[in-house]
Amino acid sequence: MGDVVRVTNATVRAVNGLTTRWAAASEGSTVFSAAGVWPLLAFLADGAGGPARAELADAVGFPADEAAGAARELLSAMGAMRGLDSALGLWTKRTLELRERWEAGLPAEAHGVLTGHAEADKAALDAWVVKRTGGLIERMPVRLDDDTEMVVASALALRTRWLMPFRERYWTPESGPWSGRELQGLWRDSTLLDRVGVADTPEGHVTELKVLGDNAIDVHLLLGEEGMGPRQVLRAGVEILARRHPVVPGPQLPYGDVGPGLRVVRERRATPEPPTLEVRTVAYETRTVHDLLDHHDVFGLTTARAQRPPGHFPGISGFTLYVEAARQSAMARFGARGFEAAAVTALGAAGAGVPELRWVTATVRATYDRPFGFLALHRHSRLVLAAGWVTDPEPYREDEEDY
């Protein structure tokens, strides 16, 4: 039985749509969580006015007066997902009066106080981050100053163990940007050919490998054609989830080079064996800090960041408020036995003998030996919880324990 997770398709589409737009603004090695920032934007949209309200509603993908309800639905759904811990926090100065309706829409345990003592407040917010991410992230990503009236933050941490672990091996790719590097290679074989497939997208073919976790949190590894970057590959991954592109699954692939990093060959064996999927990839750990205001148009914060009276959030407070800081700290770690990721988003206002080979079988070989994308998602709802692009895999280390 799957998790009892009630989240509408409209909300999943909205969050995954933000994942796509964020990927379009990304370059190089990265990891990010649109599921971490989306509820914050939705609550801001509910309390915003004027142009800021319209921009935030557009970024969220919901009418402003429906956004807070969708955010509560998403937070409740994520709270029911096994392997995922999520939380929302709000801290305000004692002198800031919030609108009762807006505050009542937040989780009851969310509201804390900013004392005005910078070191004490920083220590309290950092402690919240450590607790909510199990230590995967250690600090609140926004700084506090004398003008900070309010901080609203979300935290999520996800962990899964592979249903089928990988074997760790020393690996030096023979070609491509990782050629000659000594990498922590991950190898495994299975008879489940449907775990891999090739999608035909407008910008090129993409190979999708599904690595299933034991708690319905999976990671999809995405390898595009040469020259495709995170914008094209991650967008293709989200659209594959939405079934917008045809995918040819492993059992239906012809012989030969059938997709990026994917080859199907005939092999003679000494005994009759079923077709096999051989996977070679790499361990990786990625950490990124994002300044969301660098891409304010993606997050609907163009007007909201402007410091001008009477403020942009009349539904939150009668006090003049604007977004002075918006940042996300995110990490992801992919190893032989599992995956873990975390994100904290904060908005501050202000693979012996020679036998007789009689039988023929097919082998599907998937090789991830150059930069690729990944999506960590909830299997049943297809909600993307974290996404990223891998350019710098983990170096080979002997006798290193996987977390």
Side-chain angles (χ1 to χ4, degrees), residues 289-314:
V289 178
H290 303 275
D291 189 333
L292 306 187
L293 296 185
D294 286 345
H295 302 288
H296 49 83
D297 53 328
V298 173
F299 303 103
L301 297 173
T302 301
T303 298
R305 68 199 171 111
Q307 184 177 2
R308 64 170 74 113
H312 308 293
F313 300 99

Side-chain angles (χ1 to χ4, degrees), residues 110-140:
H111 199 173
V113 173
L114 296 177
T115 67
H117 298 287
E119 291 187 6
D121 287 339
K122 180 181 184 305
L125 269 60
D126 288 349
W128 183 87
V129 167
V130 171
K131 179 180 179 180
R132 295 303 185 177
T133 66
L136 294 176
I137 296 176
E138 297 179 348
R139 297 177 183 85
M140 184 68 74

Side-chain angles (χ1 to χ4, degrees), residues 48-304:
R53 184 176 177 88
E55 291 171 1
L56 282 162
D58 186 59
V60 168
F62 271 81
D65 58 356
E66 299 177 15
R72 288 190 291 271
E73 171 198 87
L74 178 64
L75 291 173
S76 176
M78 291 196 300
M81 294 178 185
R82 292 182 298 130
L84 176 67
D85 295 318
S86 63
L88 184 135
L90 169 71
W91 297 264
T92 62
K93 286 184 177 178
R94 296 184 188 278
T95 53
L96 179 68
E97 294 186 11
L98 298 176
R99 302 291 191 196
E100 184 176 341
R101 172 193 166 278
W102 187 81
E103 185 179 7
L106 302 178
E109 71 281 3
H111 199 173
V113 173
L114 296 177
T115 67
H117 298 287
E119 291 187 6
D121 287 339
K122 180 181 184 305
L125 269 60
D126 288 349
W128 183 87
V129 167
V130 171
K131 179 180 179 180
R132 295 303 185 177
T133 66
L136 294 176
I137 296 176
E138 297 179 348
R139 297 177 183 85
M140 184 68 74
V142 298
R143 296 178 180 177
L144 305 178
D145 58 37
D146 292 341
D147 295 327
T148 304
E149 295 286 336
M150 181 178 78
V151 173
V152 59
S154 73
L156 62 83
L158 61 100
R159 294 176 174 85
T160 192
R161 290 278 173 172
W162 306 135
L163 290 175
M164 181 185 298
F166 291 84
R167 302 185 302 279
E168 295 177 314
R169 291 186 184 177
Y170 172 89
W171 188 24
T172 301
E174 297 178 358
S175 62
W178 299 340
S179 175
R181 292 182 57 178
E182 299 180 336
L183 303 178
Q184 188 76 8
L186 302 178
W187 305 58
R188 76 179 191 188
D189 305 333
S190 81
T191 58
L192 303 174
L193 271 59
D194 61 351
R195 295 289 188 262
V196 74
V198 179
D200 185 5
T201 81
E203 295 183 274
H205 290 87
V206 174
T207 296
E208 177 194 49
L209 175 71
K210 302 174 184 178
V211 187
L212 272 56
D214 63 359
N215 53 9
I217 291 178
D218 305 332
V219 177
H220 292 192
L221 303 184
L222 306 163
L223 185 66
E225 293 183 14
E226 296 274 3
M228 293 178 69
R231 177 180 66 84
Q232 299 98 329
V233 173
L234 293 177
R235 177 169 65 190
V238 173
E239 292 179 343
I240 290 168
L241 289 178
R243 300 183 175 90
R244 296 191 189 118
H245 298 313
V247 177
V248 180
Q252 298 177 23
L253 294 170
Y255 289 106
D257 294 315
V258 293
L262 199 61
R263 181 173 177 79
V264 183
V265 298
R266 286 188 179 93
E267 291 192 325
R268 290 193 172 273
R269 301 289 176 91
T271 58
E273 296 180 15
T276 301
L277 171 62
E278 295 180 355
V279 174
R280 289 186 294 178
T281 186
V282 291
Y284 61 83
E285 179 173 344
T286 303
R287 292 180 180 269
T288 314
V289 178
H290 303 275
D291 189 333
L292 306 187
L293 296 185
D294 286 345
H295 302 288
H296 49 83
D297 53 328
V298 173
F299 303 103
L301 297 173
T302 301
T303 298

